[in-house]
Protein backbone atom coordinates (compact mmCIF):
# COMPACT_ATOMS: atom_id res chain seq x y z
CA UNK A 1 0.00 0.00 0.00
CA UNK A 2 2.85 2.34 0.89
CA UNK A 3 4.58 1.58 -2.41
CA UNK A 4 1.37 2.29 -4.31
CA UNK A 5 0.93 5.60 -2.47
CA UNK A 6 4.53 6.56 -3.18
CA UNK A 7 4.05 5.69 -6.84
CA UNK A 8 0.90 7.82 -6.96
CA UNK A 9 2.76 10.73 -5.36
CA UNK A 10 5.54 10.45 -7.92
CA UNK A 11 3.02 10.43 -10.73
CA UNK A 12 1.22 13.50 -9.38
CA UNK A 13 4.43 15.45 -8.83
CA UNK A 14 5.88 14.55 -12.22
CA UNK A 15 2.71 15.46 -14.12
CA UNK A 16 3.11 18.95 -15.61
CA UNK A 17 0.90 21.60 -14.06
CA UNK A 18 -1.45 23.57 -16.27
CA UNK A 19 -1.49 27.36 -16.20
CA UNK A 20 -4.59 29.20 -15.07
CA UNK A 21 -6.23 30.99 -17.96
CA UNK A 22 -8.05 34.30 -17.82
CA UNK A 23 -8.32 37.53 -19.74
CA UNK A 24 -9.29 41.00 -18.60
CA UNK A 25 -9.61 44.60 -19.63
CA UNK A 26 -8.24 47.05 -17.07
CA UNK A 27 -8.17 50.82 -16.70
CA UNK A 28 -7.19 53.22 -13.92
CA UNK A 29 -9.58 56.06 -13.18
CA UNK A 30 -7.28 59.08 -12.82
CA UNK A 31 -4.64 56.53 -11.81
CA UNK A 32 -6.51 55.82 -8.56
CA UNK A 33 -9.32 53.30 -9.03
CA UNK A 34 -8.81 50.12 -11.03
CA UNK A 35 -11.72 49.24 -13.32
CA UNK A 36 -11.63 45.60 -14.38
CA UNK A 37 -13.77 43.79 -16.94
CA UNK A 38 -13.27 40.02 -17.34
CA UNK A 39 -13.24 40.12 -21.15
CA UNK A 40 -11.03 39.79 -24.21
CA UNK A 41 -12.31 42.89 -26.00
CA UNK A 42 -12.52 46.43 -24.62
CA UNK A 43 -15.96 47.80 -23.75
CA UNK A 44 -18.04 49.15 -26.60
CA UNK A 45 -19.46 52.64 -26.83
CA UNK A 46 -22.66 51.73 -25.00
CA UNK A 47 -20.77 50.11 -22.10
CA UNK A 48 -18.35 53.05 -21.84
CA UNK A 49 -21.24 55.50 -21.78
CA UNK A 50 -22.98 53.47 -19.07
CA UNK A 51 -19.80 53.39 -16.98
CA UNK A 52 -19.41 57.16 -17.32
CA UNK A 53 -23.05 57.64 -16.29
CA UNK A 54 -22.63 55.43 -13.22
CA UNK A 55 -19.56 57.36 -12.13
CA UNK A 56 -21.33 60.66 -12.75
CA UNK A 57 -24.27 59.47 -10.64
CA UNK A 58 -21.76 58.74 -7.86
CA UNK A 59 -20.43 62.29 -8.14
CA UNK A 60 -17.19 61.13 -9.77
CA UNK A 61 -16.36 63.29 -12.78
CA UNK A 62 -12.90 62.52 -14.15
CA UNK A 63 -11.37 64.91 -16.67
CA UNK A 64 -11.54 62.08 -19.18
CA UNK A 65 -12.48 58.42 -19.14
CA UNK A 66 -9.43 56.14 -19.06
CA UNK A 67 -8.46 53.81 -21.88
CA UNK A 68 -8.72 50.09 -21.17
CA UNK A 69 -5.70 47.83 -21.56
CA UNK A 70 -5.75 44.10 -22.22
CA UNK A 71 -4.08 41.57 -19.95
CA UNK A 72 -4.11 37.86 -20.69
CA UNK A 73 -2.66 34.98 -18.69
CA UNK A 74 -0.60 33.04 -19.48
CA UNK A 75 1.29 35.54 -21.59
CA UNK A 76 3.23 32.72 -23.28
CA UNK A 77 1.77 29.22 -23.59
CA UNK A 78 5.03 27.32 -23.91
CA UNK A 79 6.49 28.32 -20.53
CA UNK A 80 6.62 25.54 -17.88
CA UNK A 81 4.26 25.84 -14.93
CA UNK A 82 4.92 24.68 -11.37
CA UNK A 83 2.57 26.80 -9.21
CA UNK A 84 -0.35 27.95 -11.41
CA UNK A 85 -2.10 30.24 -8.92
CA UNK A 86 1.01 31.93 -7.55
CA UNK A 87 2.47 32.41 -11.01
CA UNK A 88 -0.76 33.98 -12.28
CA UNK A 89 -0.81 36.33 -9.29
CA UNK A 90 2.84 37.27 -9.79
CA UNK A 91 2.15 37.96 -13.46
CA UNK A 92 -0.76 40.27 -12.74
CA UNK A 93 1.17 42.06 -9.98
CA UNK A 94 4.12 42.59 -12.34
CA UNK A 95 1.77 44.02 -14.98
CA UNK A 96 0.32 46.51 -12.47
CA UNK A 97 3.76 47.41 -11.10
CA UNK A 98 4.78 48.31 -14.64
CA UNK A 99 1.80 50.64 -14.93
CA UNK A 100 2.98 52.60 -11.90
CA UNK A 101 5.44 54.29 -14.26
CA UNK A 102 2.37 55.65 -16.05
CA UNK A 103 1.12 57.19 -12.82
CA UNK A 104 -1.11 54.41 -11.54
CA UNK A 105 -1.48 54.49 -7.75
CA UNK A 106 -4.38 52.10 -7.04
CA UNK A 107 -6.64 52.87 -4.09
CA UNK A 108 -9.70 50.73 -4.90
CA UNK A 109 -10.80 47.95 -7.26
CA UNK A 110 -14.11 47.70 -9.13
CA UNK A 111 -14.77 44.48 -11.07
CA UNK A 112 -17.70 44.51 -13.49
CA UNK A 113 -18.47 40.88 -14.27
CA UNK A 114 -17.90 37.41 -12.88
CA UNK A 115 -15.02 35.10 -13.70
CA UNK A 116 -14.19 32.30 -11.27
CA UNK A 117 -10.52 32.08 -12.23
CA UNK A 118 -9.97 35.82 -12.05
CA UNK A 119 -11.71 35.95 -8.66
CA UNK A 120 -9.30 33.30 -7.36
CA UNK A 121 -6.30 35.20 -8.70
CA UNK A 122 -7.43 38.50 -7.21
CA UNK A 123 -8.40 36.75 -3.96
CA UNK A 124 -11.66 38.68 -3.73
CA UNK A 125 -13.17 38.13 -0.32
CA UNK A 126 -15.47 40.14 1.93
CA UNK A 127 -15.16 43.44 0.09
CA UNK A 128 -11.37 43.24 -0.22
CA UNK A 129 -8.82 42.21 -2.83
CA UNK A 130 -6.20 40.38 -0.81
CA UNK A 131 -3.79 40.15 -3.74
CA UNK A 132 -3.55 43.92 -4.20
CA UNK A 133 -4.45 44.85 -0.61
CA UNK A 134 -7.27 47.11 -1.78
CA UNK A 135 -10.94 47.53 -0.93
CA UNK A 136 -12.86 45.89 -3.74
CA UNK A 137 -16.29 45.44 -5.25
CA UNK A 138 -17.42 42.82 -7.77
CA UNK A 139 -20.81 42.91 -9.42
CA UNK A 140 -22.71 42.53 -12.68
CA UNK A 141 -21.01 43.16 -16.00
CA UNK A 142 -21.64 46.40 -17.86
CA UNK A 143 -23.59 44.39 -20.45
CA UNK A 144 -25.88 43.05 -17.71
CA UNK A 145 -26.33 46.47 -16.16
CA UNK A 146 -27.24 47.90 -19.55
CA UNK A 147 -30.10 45.42 -20.02
CA UNK A 148 -31.20 44.55 -16.47
CA UNK A 149 -33.05 47.37 -14.73
CA UNK A 150 -33.18 45.39 -11.48
CA UNK A 151 -29.39 44.96 -11.41
CA UNK A 152 -28.90 48.64 -12.11
CA UNK A 153 -31.36 49.62 -9.37
CA UNK A 154 -29.52 47.42 -6.87
CA UNK A 155 -26.33 49.32 -7.64
CA UNK A 156 -27.68 52.78 -6.76
CA UNK A 157 -27.05 52.55 -2.98
CA UNK A 158 -23.41 51.71 -3.68
CA UNK A 159 -22.88 54.75 -5.87
CA UNK A 160 -23.15 57.11 -2.92
CA UNK A 161 -20.52 55.08 -1.05
CA UNK A 162 -18.23 55.23 -4.08
CA UNK A 163 -18.64 58.99 -4.30
CA UNK A 164 -17.86 59.47 -0.62
CA UNK A 165 -14.79 57.23 -0.85
CA UNK A 166 -13.54 59.04 -3.95
CA UNK A 167 -13.90 62.54 -2.54
CA UNK A 168 -12.61 61.65 0.94
CA UNK A 169 -9.41 60.30 -0.61
CA UNK A 170 -9.16 63.40 -2.82
CA UNK A 171 -9.35 65.69 0.23
CA UNK A 172 -6.74 63.62 2.05
CA UNK A 173 -4.40 63.82 -0.93
CA UNK A 174 -4.90 67.59 -1.10
CA UNK A 175 -4.04 67.96 2.59
CA UNK A 176 -0.94 65.80 2.21
CA UNK A 177 0.24 67.78 -0.82
CA UNK A 178 -0.32 71.08 1.03
CA UNK A 179 1.64 69.77 4.03
CA UNK A 180 4.48 68.67 1.74
CA UNK A 181 4.63 72.11 0.13
CA UNK A 182 4.64 73.80 3.54
CA UNK A 183 7.45 71.54 4.71
CA UNK A 184 9.47 72.32 1.58
CA UNK A 185 8.90 76.05 2.05
CA UNK A 186 9.85 75.77 5.72
CA UNK A 187 13.06 73.92 4.86
CA UNK A 188 13.88 76.58 2.28
CA UNK A 189 13.36 79.35 4.87
CA UNK A 190 15.63 77.53 7.32
CA UNK A 191 18.34 77.22 4.66
CA UNK A 192 18.03 80.93 3.85
CA UNK A 193 18.31 81.84 7.53
CA UNK A 194 21.36 79.58 7.88
CA UNK A 195 23.08 81.21 4.89
CA UNK A 196 22.21 84.66 6.23
CA UNK A 197 23.78 83.84 9.60
CA UNK A 198 26.89 82.51 7.86
CA UNK A 199 27.33 85.66 5.79
CA UNK A 200 26.69 87.85 8.82
CA UNK A 201 29.36 85.98 10.75
CA UNK A 202 31.85 86.34 7.92
CA UNK A 203 31.15 90.03 7.64
CA UNK A 204 31.82 90.51 11.36
CA UNK A 205 35.11 88.64 11.12
CA UNK A 206 36.24 90.75 8.18
CA UNK A 207 35.49 93.97 10.11
Amino acid sequence: ADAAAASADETSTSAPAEALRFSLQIAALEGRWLLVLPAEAPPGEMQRRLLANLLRAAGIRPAEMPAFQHFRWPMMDELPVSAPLEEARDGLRAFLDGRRRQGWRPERLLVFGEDATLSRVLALEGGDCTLLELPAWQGPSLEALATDAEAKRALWPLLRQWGEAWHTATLQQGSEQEETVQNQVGQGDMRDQHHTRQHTGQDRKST
Side-chain angles (χ1 to χ4, degrees):
D2 292 340
S7 176
D9 288 342
E10 289 177 6
T11 302
S12 62
T13 55
S14 61
E18 188 171 337
L20 297 182
R21 297 182 180 277
F22 62 94
S23 185
L24 58 87
Q25 293 286 329
I26 186 168
L29 191 63
E30 294 194 348
R32 295 171 48 193
W33 284 21
L34 298 180
L35 309 175
V36 170
L37 315 177
E40 284 277 352
E45 181 61 30
M46 183 178 69
Q47 285 80 31
R48 290 180 62 83
R49 190 163 54 245
L50 172 60
L51 179 59
N53 289 340
L54 290 173
L55 294 173
R56 195 175 300 116
I60 301 172
R61 294 177 171 83
E64 61 180 359
M65 290 298 291
F68 280 84
Q69 302 181 28
H70 183 221
F71 177 81
R72 179 179 69 88
W73 188 263
M75 301 180 75
M76 299 176 65
D77 285 327
E78 62 271 17
L79 293 178
V81 177
S82 58
L85 182 57
E86 291 307 313
E87 289 170 16
R89 287 174 172 171
D90 288 344
L92 182 55
R93 265 194 298 250
F95 173 83
L96 292 173
D97 286 343
R99 296 307 176 274
R100 287 182 178 274
R101 291 191 290 272
Q102 300 177 9
W104 289 22
R105 295 293 183 271
E107 301 168 6
R108 185 174 293 263
L109 171 68
L110 304 181
V111 183
F112 292 87
E114 301 282 343
D115 182 280
T117 301
L118 178 58
S119 296
R120 280 185 65 204
V121 172
L122 291 171
L124 295 174
E125 189 175 342
D128 288 301
C129 172
T130 306
L131 176 70
L132 305 178
E133 299 181 344
L134 296 175
W137 168 87
Q138 183 176 33
S141 66
L142 291 175
E143 291 83 353
L145 290 170
T147 57
D148 189 337
E150 210 46 56
K152 195 185 300 182
R153 196 158 32 244
L155 191 60
W156 290 124
L158 275 174
L159 298 181
R160 182 177 179 180
Q161 297 177 23
W162 291 358
E164 290 174 352
W166 177 269
H167 292 296
T168 299
T170 300
L171 290 173
Q172 288 175 345
Q173 288 177 351
S175 299
E176 290 172 359
Q177 289 174 353
E178 183 178 352
E179 185 178 347
T180 300
V181 170
Q182 289 175 349
N183 289 339
Q184 290 173 344
V185 171
Q187 290 172 359
D189 290 343
M190 290 176 63
R191 285 195 295 269
D192 291 342
Q193 292 172 6
H194 179 68
H195 289 317
T196 300
R197 284 196 296 269
Q198 281 186 326
H199 288 306
T200 302
Q202 290 172 357
D203 291 342
R204 286 174 179 170
K205 288 179 181 178
S206 61
T207 56

